[in-house]
């Protein structure tokens, strides 16, 4: 039997496994192993490549550290303070709590760098509050899923780290380039949210009170400090993204431990409302004990244990696709489109449809090495294209049939997956509009990079 026939049969088989719900990592791994045998590649070669991914990828060390950062700020209560501040600022608008949850997603993303962690944390915290506040539970869950898309765009971003590692681009520049597009994504979704809530009359309004805004901002100072620490260190070149991740983890551990000691020593109650808390009580959060850190670390390790093998097998998959000539076929197709905008929008369409069926990591690892050089050949700035590519990949988080954030939101809220789909449409329209705007306006990605 011809090699091409065997590869086709293997591809059909793993597609069937994917449709049955087999984890993406195993689907790709089965395909890689099967095709390796067909092409005569030894498993020793596969093992060596898997090892090289992490031996040569110092930048990838930032990934588990930023995941741990997200778990630490969630457990310590810093994430709750950030969401309280967002609600104080936006609660006076129709749909203010839903808009605040999107704003909280943006703030959380600026520390954690993960879409699933953002969706899970904000969804579990604010979904019950939104339902109590008169919002449809399906819309509330869809809002958490949509808000999580900015988790890989607003720095620090785990996927930007992977992209920079693959394409040999400065990760600090990628982080800075994601700031404005990430903010626009949040604003675009908030506008869509406001329109939908205004039409349906969802949400209770609270008065805009300067004292409430100031007090909740004061209470969120630890979160703001962590965000500023990461951005300042990377932007000024004081430390690399990997070092920034380590510094942020250290800060969050110290903040959590010290806050716990102070809270217990002074017998401060964290269940008070903002009116009942003094400014002094807002200085500390709930925190955690030294004995809770192993449990927090284990949860982060479980997530890393899912992502790290996925990165490794996707790299090997990329190499096999190259041997099969698939990359050449895709490259020739995109190149044949002709000029700047034709190539750009063809690449965007490929990324969009790939994101519908694959997680952002394999999409990035498989397609970025193919599409980025072609885009560069027609004059697209590599940093600008990275933002275009990853904004498109992030939209896939709320696009069926895969839609990872939809599964995460469904899991933490209890709302069935298929009931969320209808309520993601306004957010998809907003995100695609921002995506096209970013693609057509390079300055949005490059404005904070004067050296580009």
């Amino acid at each position: 039997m011809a090699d091409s026939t065997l590869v086709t049969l293997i591809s059909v088989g793993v597609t069937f496994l994917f449709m049955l719900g087999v984890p993406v990592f195993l689907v790709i791994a089965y395909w890689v192993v099967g095709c390796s045998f067909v092409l005569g590649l030894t498993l020793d070669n596969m093992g060596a490549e898997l090892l090289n991914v992490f031996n040569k990828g110092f930048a990838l060390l930032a990934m588990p550290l930023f995941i741990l950062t997200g778990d630490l700020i969630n457990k310590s209560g810093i994430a709750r303070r950030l969401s309280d501040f967002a609600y104080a600022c936006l609660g006076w608008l129709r749909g203010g709590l839903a808009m605040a949850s999107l704003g909280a997603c943006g703030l959380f993303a600026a520390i954690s760098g993960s879409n699933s962690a953002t969706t899970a944390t904000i969804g579990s915290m604010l979904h019950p509050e939104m339902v109590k506040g008169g919002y449809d539970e399906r819309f509330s869950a869809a809002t958490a899923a949509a808000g999580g898309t900015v988790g890989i765009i607003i720095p620090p971003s785990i996927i930007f780290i992977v992209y920079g590692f693959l394409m040999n681009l400065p990760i600090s520049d990628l982080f800075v380039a994601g700031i404005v597009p990430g903010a626009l994504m949040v604003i675009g979704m908030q506008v869509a949210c406001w329109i939908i809530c205004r039409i349906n009359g969802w949400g209770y309004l609270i008065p805009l009170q300067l004292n409430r805004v100031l007090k909740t901002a004061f209470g969120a100072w630890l979160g703001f400090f962590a965000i500023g620490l990461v951005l300042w260190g990377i932007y000024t070149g004081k430390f690399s993204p990997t070092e920034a991740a380590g510094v942020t983890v250290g800060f969050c551990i110290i903040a959590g431990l010290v806050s716990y000691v102070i809270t217990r020593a002074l017998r401060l109650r964290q269940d008070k409302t903002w009116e009942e808390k003094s400014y002094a009580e807002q200085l500390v959060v709930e925190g955690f004990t030294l004995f809770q850190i192993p449990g927090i670390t284990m949860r982060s390790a479980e997530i890393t244990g899912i992502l790290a093998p996925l990165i490794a097998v996707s790299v090997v998959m990329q190499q096999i696709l190259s041997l099969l000539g698939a990359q050449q076929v895709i490259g020739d197709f995109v190149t044949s489109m002709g000029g700047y905008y034709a190539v750009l929008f063809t690449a965007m369409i490929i990324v969009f449809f790939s994101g519908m069926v694959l997680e952002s990591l394999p999409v990035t690892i498989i397609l970025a090495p193919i599409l980025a050089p072609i885009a560069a050949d027609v004059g697209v700035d590599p940093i600008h294209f990275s933002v275009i590519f990853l904004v498109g990949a992030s939209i896939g988080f709320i696009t069926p049939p895969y839609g990872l954030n939809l599964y995460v939101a469904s899991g933490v809220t209890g709302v069935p997956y298929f009931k969320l789909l209808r309520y993601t449409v306004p957010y998809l329209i907003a995100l695609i509009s921002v995506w096209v705007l970013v693609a057509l306006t390079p300055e949005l990605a490059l404005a904070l990079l004067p050296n580009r």
Side-chain angles (χ1 to χ4, degrees), residues 338-423:
Y340 181 97
Y341 291 108
V343 168
L344 187 59
F345 283 107
T346 302
M348 291 171 67
I349 291 170
I350 292 173
V351 171
F352 179 78
F353 282 105
S354 299
M356 292 176 65
V357 295
L358 285 174
E359 209 269 341
S360 61
L361 277 175
V363 169
T364 301
I365 293 170
I366 294 167
L367 290 180
I370 303 173
L371 299 178
I374 298 171
D377 287 343
V378 296
V380 183
D381 184 274
I383 298 294
H384 180 216
F385 184 77
S386 72
V387 175
I388 296 171
F389 187 100
L390 293 176
V391 169
S394 73
I395 295 174
F397 289 133
I398 57 169
T399 309
Y402 187 61
L404 177 61
N405 283 12
L406 297 176
Y407 284 106
V408 174
S410 176
V412 299
T413 64
V415 179
Y417 173 90
F418 289 102
K419 291 187 177 181
L420 301 180
L421 300 182
R422 170 188 167 191
Y423 293 92

Side-chain angles (χ1 to χ4, degrees), residues 114-391:
S114 167
N115 63 288
S116 55
T118 300
T119 297
T121 300
I122 303 303
S124 60
M125 281 197 309
L126 294 184
H127 175 73
E129 300 297 325
M130 289 178 65
V131 173
K132 290 178 185 176
Y135 295 85
D136 186 288
E137 66 171 2
R138 296 165 296 179
F139 174 76
S140 303
T143 299
T149 58
V150 300
I152 67 166
I153 303 300
I154 294 178
S157 163
I158 293 171
I159 199 69
F160 268 133
I161 295 170
V162 175
Y163 191 101
F165 166 73
L166 284 173
M167 305 308 301
N168 196 29
L169 291 172
I171 294 173
S172 57
D173 284 0
L174 296 178
F175 279 4
V176 174
I179 295 175
V180 174
L184 288 176
M185 290 170 68
V186 173
I187 294 170
M189 289 189 289
Q190 286 178 328
V191 171
C193 175
W194 177 78
I195 293 172
I196 297 301
C197 290
R198 190 170 180 83
I199 292 172
N200 292 281
W202 289 333
Y204 303 132
L205 304 183
I206 63 170
L208 178 61
Q209 298 172 279
L210 181 60
N211 185 40
R212 180 172 189 164
V213 173
L214 293 176
K215 187 174 282 189
T216 53
F218 192 72
W221 77 274
L222 287 170
F224 294 140
F225 186 87
I227 295 170
L229 182 65
V230 173
L231 296 181
W232 169 82
I234 294 174
Y235 191 72
T236 60
K238 299 296 183 183
F239 33 70
S240 69
T242 303
E243 292 165 341
V247 169
T248 310
V249 166
F251 168 76
C252 290
I253 290 175
I254 294 171
L257 294 175
V258 172
S259 290
Y260 182 85
V261 171
I262 294 175
T263 299
R264 296 303 180 274
L266 300 180
R267 296 182 180 180
L268 302 178
R269 287 173 50 199
Q270 293 296 328
D271 58 348
K272 291 182 180 180
T273 64
W274 71 271
E275 296 100 330
E276 296 170 334
K277 287 183 180 179
S278 66
Y279 276 90
E281 289 176 307
Q282 290 277 46
L283 277 174
V284 293
V285 291
E286 182 180 349
F288 44 76
T289 68
L290 191 63
F291 299 105
Q292 290 176 301
I293 292 179
I296 300 171
T297 306
M298 181 57 69
R299 183 182 182 282
S300 302
E302 290 171 355
I303 297 174
T304 304
I306 296 172
L307 297 180
L310 184 58
I311 294 172
V313 296
S314 296
V315 169
V316 181
M317 182 182 186
Q318 173 201 335
Q319 295 174 343
I320 293 177
L321 286 172
S322 180
L323 290 174
L324 292 172
Q327 292 180 318
Q328 185 65 42
V329 171
I330 297 173
D332 290 344
F333 171 72
V334 176
T335 303
S336 68
M337 292 297 103
Y340 181 97
Y341 291 108
V343 168
L344 187 59
F345 283 107
T346 302
M348 291 171 67
I349 291 170
I350 292 173
V351 171
F352 179 78
F353 282 105
S354 299
M356 292 176 65
V357 295
L358 285 174
E359 209 269 341
S360 61
L361 277 175
V363 169
T364 301
I365 293 170
I366 294 167
L367 290 180
I370 303 173
L371 299 178
I374 298 171
D377 287 343
V378 296
V380 183
D381 184 274
I383 298 294
H384 180 216
F385 184 77
S386 72
V387 175
I388 296 171
F389 187 100
L390 293 176
V391 169

Side-chain angles (χ1 to χ4, degrees), residues 425-451:
V425 174
Y427 294 124
L428 278 173
I429 294 172
L431 289 172
I432 291 173
S433 299
V434 171
W435 187 28
V436 173
L437 178 64
V438 170
L440 295 177
T441 316
E443 293 78 12
L444 293 175
L446 305 177
L448 301 180
L449 292 168
N451 58 321

